Amino acid sequence: MITLERAETNNNFLVTILDKEGPKKFECRLDICENPACSCSSVGFNLYPVVSSGLKPDDEDKAVLFYIDIYKRVIDKKKEPLSKKNRYYADIFISHLREEDWKKLTQEFYIYKTRLTDTADLNSAIFIFPIEQIESNGLMIGYKEILPFGGDLFFYLDDLKIVVDDQYCVRSDCSCTDTCLALIPIRKDTIVKKQAVEGLFVNYKTGQWFFKEPGRKISDREKTFKAALEEQQHAVYALLKKRHQTLKRLYQNYRRKILGLKTAAIGPAAIGRNAPCPCGSGKKFKKCCGK
C-alpha cells in the first residue's frame, strides 16, 4: 500500500510505503525534464527517508531514485540501470499507487511542463524543423509539434470537448496570417471521428474561416464551432497570431544555425550568389538565406 500527500513545508510530496518491514515514510522530490522542446513523459522520483521527528530528510546515501513514464506508468528503461533496492521500490510504487494519486502526479507533471514552456527562454533551446520540406513543399508545422506543452486550445459544445490542433506556415518568404485548424471532438475520452473537421483555415487578422479546397464552404455546423470558440476563447485570434510568431522566430533561429554550420563547413567564399542554398531549400542562395 502507498499513500501520497503534499508536504506542508514545501512543494514536495510525502510518500508512505507499507511493506513487509512496516510503514516507511519518504519525502518525494520530482525530477522533471526542463527542455521545453522535449515531449518525453519521464519523471524522476527521488525518495528521501524521513526521520520520525520533524519530517526532515535523512542522509542522501539512503535515498531511492527511479524514473517512471508518467503516462504509460512503467519504469523508464532509457535511464540509468536500477540497483536492486531502487528496482524494488519502483515496482512497489507502480503496482500499489492509487488511481487518484496517479492523476495527481500526472497533473503535477503537466502543470510544471506548461509553466516551464510559458516562462522559458525559447531562444536558448534547440527546436528541430524539417527545413527542406518547409521551404520547398510549404509543409505546415503544428504548434504542439514543436512545443508539446505549449498550452492546450479547446472549447466545449453540448457534450463534446473540441480540441483544436493548430498548424502554421513558417516558410522564410511567406507573410501569410493563416492558421490551419483541425477540430477534434471528444466525448468521454473517445474521439468522435464523424464530427471532426480537417483542412479548415482561419485568417487570424480578419477572423475569416474558410477552406482552400475548391467548392467547399463553411457549413452551419462549422459556423457553430466558430461561435463557440470565439465565445469561450475571447482572444483566440490574438493567441493564434502569437503562436504563429513564436514558431516563425524559432524556425528562423534554427534555420540560421543550420545555415551557419553548413557555411562554416563549406567556407563562405565557396557559396556563390547563384549557387544552391546550403539550407536545403532548393532555391538559389541569393533568393533564400543570402538575402
Side-chain angles (χ1 to χ4, degrees), residues 99 103 164:
E99 180 64 26
K103 291 181 179 179
V164 181

Side-chain angles (χ1 to χ4, degrees), residues 122-123 129 143 146-147 170 240-253:
L122 300 182
N123 292 321
F129 292 82
Y143 186 77
I146 301 300
L147 291 164
V170 296
L240 296 179
K241 178 180 179 180
K242 180 180 178 181
R243 286 159 82 113
H244 191 189
Q245 291 175 336
T246 298
L247 284 187
K248 291 186 73 172
R249 185 178 76 254
L250 297 179
Y251 172 64
Q252 292 302 329
N253 289 345

Side-chain angles (χ1 to χ4, degrees), residues 17-290:
I17 298 178
L18 182 62
D19 64 8
K20 57 185 178 181
E21 298 179 359
K24 296 180 179 178
K25 182 164 286 189
F26 301 86
E27 180 176 294
C28 177
R29 304 172 188 172
L30 302 182
D31 180 14
I32 301 176
C33 172
E34 296 193 355
N35 181 1
C38 181
S39 61
C40 81
S41 51
S42 180
V43 176
F45 290 82
N46 298 272
L47 304 183
Y48 295 89
V50 296
V51 296
S52 57
S53 60
L55 297 180
K56 296 180 180 180
D58 204 343
D59 47 338
E60 295 200 4
D61 62 344
K62 296 180 181 179
V64 175
L65 170 63
F66 51 84
Y67 284 85
I68 291 177
D69 186 313
I70 201 71
Y71 289 150
K72 297 180 180 178
R73 301 182 183 181
V74 296
I75 294 173
D76 186 350
K77 296 181 179 179
K78 296 179 182 179
K79 300 295 183 179
E80 58 191 59
L82 294 177
S83 67
K84 186 176 181 180
K85 180 182 74 170
N86 289 349
R87 180 64 188 241
Y88 169 75
Y89 280 104
D91 287 338
I92 291 180
F93 198 92
I94 290 175
S95 59
H96 290 85
L97 196 64
R98 298 174 299 178
E99 180 64 26
E100 62 190 82
D101 289 331
W102 278 115
K103 291 181 179 179
K104 188 185 302 181
L105 288 171
T106 301
Q107 183 181 35
E108 183 84 5
F109 168 77
Y110 186 82
I111 291 175
Y112 181 87
K113 292 288 288 188
T114 302
R115 186 184 299 120
L116 172 71
T117 303
D118 289 341
T119 58
D121 178 10
L122 300 182
N123 292 321
S124 63
I126 299 176
F127 300 89
I128 300 175
F129 292 82
I131 297 177
E132 185 173 355
Q133 295 181 55
I134 291 172
E135 296 296 331
S136 300
N137 304 324
L139 178 70
M140 302 192 81
I141 302 298
Y143 186 77
K144 297 295 286 285
E145 179 183 349
I146 301 300
L147 291 164
F149 296 96
D152 293 332
L153 182 57
F154 60 88
F155 61 97
Y156 294 95
L157 184 64
D158 301 327
D159 62 340
L160 297 173
K161 177 181 179 180
I162 315 294
V163 176
V164 181
D165 176 54
D166 49 329
Q167 299 184 3
Y168 304 87
C169 175
V170 296
R171 199 175 61 205
S172 57
D173 61 353
C174 181
S175 59
C176 76
T177 55
D178 294 338
T179 305
C180 182
L181 301 183
L183 306 181
I184 307 167
I186 298 176
R187 179 185 290 119
K188 297 181 179 179
D189 298 325
T190 301
I191 295 176
V192 185
K193 294 183 179 180
K194 292 183 178 180
Q195 297 189 42
V197 180
E198 296 182 350
L200 173 65
F201 282 83
V202 174
N203 186 308
Y204 55 71
K205 187 175 182 179
T206 65
Q208 179 187 8
W209 288 37
F210 61 96
F211 291 101
K212 292 187 177 180
E213 183 181 338
R216 187 177 179 184
K217 298 182 179 180
I218 299 296
S219 67
D220 290 339
R221 178 69 170 173
E222 286 143 7
K223 290 178 182 178
T224 302
F225 283 163
K226 180 178 187 290
L229 176 60
E230 292 175 344
E231 179 182 0
Q232 296 173 38
Q233 301 283 350
H234 301 293
V236 63
Y237 298 122
L239 176 62
L240 296 179
K241 178 180 179 180
K242 180 180 178 181
R243 286 159 82 113
H244 191 189
Q245 291 175 336
T246 298
L247 284 187
K248 291 186 73 172
R249 185 178 76 254
L250 297 179
Y251 172 64
Q252 292 302 329
N253 289 345
Y254 176 71
R255 186 165 173 263
R256 279 193 291 268
K257 180 178 180 180
I258 295 300
L259 175 63
L261 291 175
K262 292 187 175 182
T263 302
I266 298 171
I271 307 177
R273 294 281 293 163
N274 291 312
C277 186
C279 77
S281 67
K283 301 177 183 178
K284 291 183 179 181
F285 181 64
K286 67 181 180 181
K287 291 187 177 182
C288 192
C289 297

